[in-house]
Amino acid sequence: MSIWEYANPKKFMQTSSWALPWVAGLALIALVTGLVWGFFFTPEDYKQGSTVKIIYLHVPSAMMAINIWVMMLVTSLVWLIRRHHVSALAAKAAAPVGMVMTLIALVTGAIWGQPMWGTWWEWDPRLTSFLILFLFYLGYMALWEAIDNPDTAADLTGVLCLVGSVFAVLSRYAVNFWNQGLHQGATLSMDKEENISDVYWYPLLLCIAGFILLFVTLVLIRTRTEIRARRLKALEARERMA
Amino acid sequence: MKSLKKKRRIQVLLVTALALVIATAMIGYAMRDGINFFRSPTQVAEEPPKPGETFRLGGLVEEGSLKRGESEVITFNVTDGGAVVPVRFAGVLPDLFGENQGMIGTGKMEGDVFVAEEILAKHDESYMPKEVVDALKEQGVYQDPNS
């Protein structure tokens, strides 16, 4: 048993069709419980009042926006080094999901920033690198579409993914590098003292888990679609040859 | 990439990654002064801005310095523990603005006073239920996370 077994499209299709309903079910449960708990059963914050509840969309989506790019980086590297097609297709399938997560993080951030900071948008280091990450997602998707040969497309998008990782890392750590910005530091950290009290923390954990599971569900579905589309192309090509 | 052997592909990727890290580090190093979103009162005291220059000033609103004048005009002092800069502002303030809170203002120095055209509130990373804070304040054990 090795993980590379799943590089075989047939094995991947089998395993994913078995796992999909479970992952999707868990995602639904975690998201619904987490969001309902967060929106309706948490007290008001001492400074922000009920505006604090947007945290249940903003933080998980921002985390996913960065982590999906990291996932795309890993799968792209696997493709570039080991040439497994499923890996490249998984990266391709993840990009639109990551793009939407980035958009959600930007929009909820603006809605949150307006009453709290007093502005929708500022050219703060963290906000700016997040916007660039969003543009990188768009460029990545466009590059996949722009190249006809699927192997060349996978190669070039893999390299683009490597370059974009700079901004994925920057949007995570910009607050630490340049501490004179508008956006506050990390609320959630494993090692530091507690910043967020437990009543907000548990539903937030559930929402984060829900977003991760939702992402896994969507990527599995989309990768399966990509594999099928490629099979179809192969069949059509064979048809033309005959 | 297709024509290369696996070992050479890994080498190419490593060189690419190294080049990216070096490029990022150099850009970050070159812009280390320019990328600050705002200046602190200490920085303003050390390097006074040119006359008429518009810049952002950031720091904590000093306790007991917030005064509301006629109509919408307010004055307060901004401090970072070191220097103190007096600020004057007329306009609408964000929800989070208050004494002992972080703020960032855009404006110009007029003499010794910073006249702000726009004021943003800076938020910290602590979240607590209102009831808990009220209870802590009643017992007198509440500590402001900013102080």
Side-chain angles (χ1 to χ4, degrees):
Chain A
M1 250 319 247
S2 107
I3 188 173
W4 303 120
E5 222 174 276
Y6 298 100
N8 178 343
K10 207 173 156 203
K11 175 80 184 161
F12 177 86
M13 290 300 264
Q14 272 172 8
T15 316
S16 59
S17 80
W18 173 85
L20 203 47
W22 293 97
V23 184
L26 280 176
L28 189 73
I29 295 172
L31 266 184
V32 170
T33 345
L35 288 177
V36 169
W37 184 359
F39 284 154
F40 300 109
F41 300 102
T42 50
E44 297 196 341
D45 182 67
Y46 72 122
K47 269 186 226 153
Q48 305 200 23
S50 54
T51 318
V52 72
K53 291 176 183 183
I54 205 165
I55 198 173
Y56 297 108
L57 286 175
H58 183 70
V59 170
S61 60
M63 279 178 75
M64 289 316 289
I66 297 167
N67 292 337
I68 288 172
W69 194 276
V70 175
M71 172 267 181
M72 282 160 55
L73 175 67
V74 173
T75 47
S76 298
L77 286 179
V78 169
W79 155 257
L80 287 174
I81 294 168
R82 294 192 61 128
R83 318 293 293 178
H84 295 315
H85 284 91
V86 174
S87 192
L89 290 180
K92 184 185 180 185
V97 185
M99 187 271 286
V100 173
M101 291 290 180
T102 318
L103 194 61
I104 295 177
L106 285 170
V107 170
T108 53
I111 296 173
W112 201 356
Q114 164 57 26
M116 288 305 132
W117 295 339
T119 179
W120 297 99
W121 179 263
E122 277 299 325
W123 296 101
D124 161 271
R126 190 174 207 180
L127 274 59
T128 309
S129 52
F130 226 87
L131 181 68
I132 298 176
L133 181 66
F134 175 67
L135 296 176
F136 257 96
Y137 270 115
L138 292 182
Y140 180 91
M141 287 155 61
L143 191 57
W144 264 108
E145 297 305 320
I147 301 165
D148 279 336
N149 183 322
D151 283 9
T152 316
D155 279 345
L156 293 181
T157 50
V159 174
L160 180 68
C161 190
L162 197 63
V163 178
S165 310
V166 171
F167 291 95
V169 172
L170 270 190
S171 23
R172 173 76 181 77
Y173 294 105
V175 191
N176 306 35
F177 293 154
W178 302 288
N179 52 10
Q180 294 196 352
L182 179 63
H183 199 291
Q184 69 270 24
T187 304
L188 318 173
S189 48
M190 299 302 156
D191 48 335
K192 236 175 56 184
E193 54 175 312
E194 219 176 299
N195 287 323
I196 181 162
S197 64
D198 286 347
V199 281
Y200 300 122
W201 176 227
Y202 293 127
L204 184 56
L205 273 185
L206 210 54
C207 284
I208 292 172
F211 268 73
I212 294 173
L213 288 165
L214 176 70
F215 165 65
V216 174
T217 313
L218 292 175
V219 163
L220 284 181
I221 294 174
R222 293 182 53 84
T223 313
R224 288 166 64 80
T225 314
E226 294 286 346
I227 292 174
R228 287 197 174 118
R230 197 163 277 193
R231 280 179 181 166
L232 200 64
K233 241 184 201 163
L235 283 178
E236 279 174 353
R238 208 180 298 164
E239 190 97 311
R240 272 197 300 275
M241 299 286 269
Chain B
M1 281 280 180
K2 206 186 284 174
S3 53
L4 300 176
K5 289 220 167 58
K6 184 175 165 189
K7 199 175 162 197
R8 179 50 56 90
R9 288 204 297 268
I10 296 177
Q11 287 167 348
V12 169
L13 286 175
L14 281 178
V15 172
T16 316
L18 191 69
L20 273 175
V21 169
I22 294 175
T24 315
M26 282 168 78
I27 294 173
Y29 181 73
M31 302 201 340
R32 67 197 181 284
D33 296 327
I35 212 152
N36 281 343
F37 188 68
F38 60 83
R39 295 181 210 171
S40 67
T42 310
Q43 283 167 331
V44 174
E46 276 167 5
E47 270 181 75
K50 295 177 212 87
E53 184 190 347
T54 303
F55 66 99
R56 289 200 188 87
L57 174 75
L60 284 181
V61 179
E62 201 175 45
E63 196 165 2
S65 69
L66 186 62
K67 282 188 198 76
R68 293 187 193 268
E70 44 192 285
S71 73
E72 278 187 318
V73 180
I74 63 156
T75 58
F76 55 89
N77 294 340
V78 169
T79 176
D80 58 352
V84 176
V85 176
V87 179
R88 193 172 73 225
F89 175 69
V92 184
L93 292 165
D95 283 8
L96 279 184
F97 185 85
E99 288 185 352
N100 267 328
Q101 293 293 323
M103 63 70 73
I104 297 172
T106 314
K108 295 187 192 110
M109 294 301 284
E110 280 181 18
D112 285 340
V113 182
F114 181 81
V115 179
E117 293 148 15
E118 188 195 17
I119 283 194
L120 305 177
K122 203 165 139 48
H123 181 244
D124 57 32
E125 53 267 33
S126 52
Y127 302 89
M128 263 186 282
K130 214 194 252 155
E131 293 88 3
V132 174
V133 175
D134 289 345
L136 286 176
K137 273 181 181 160
E138 245 166 55
Q139 292 161 13
V141 290
Y142 174 71
Q143 281 183 332
D144 197 304
N146 291 320
S147 58

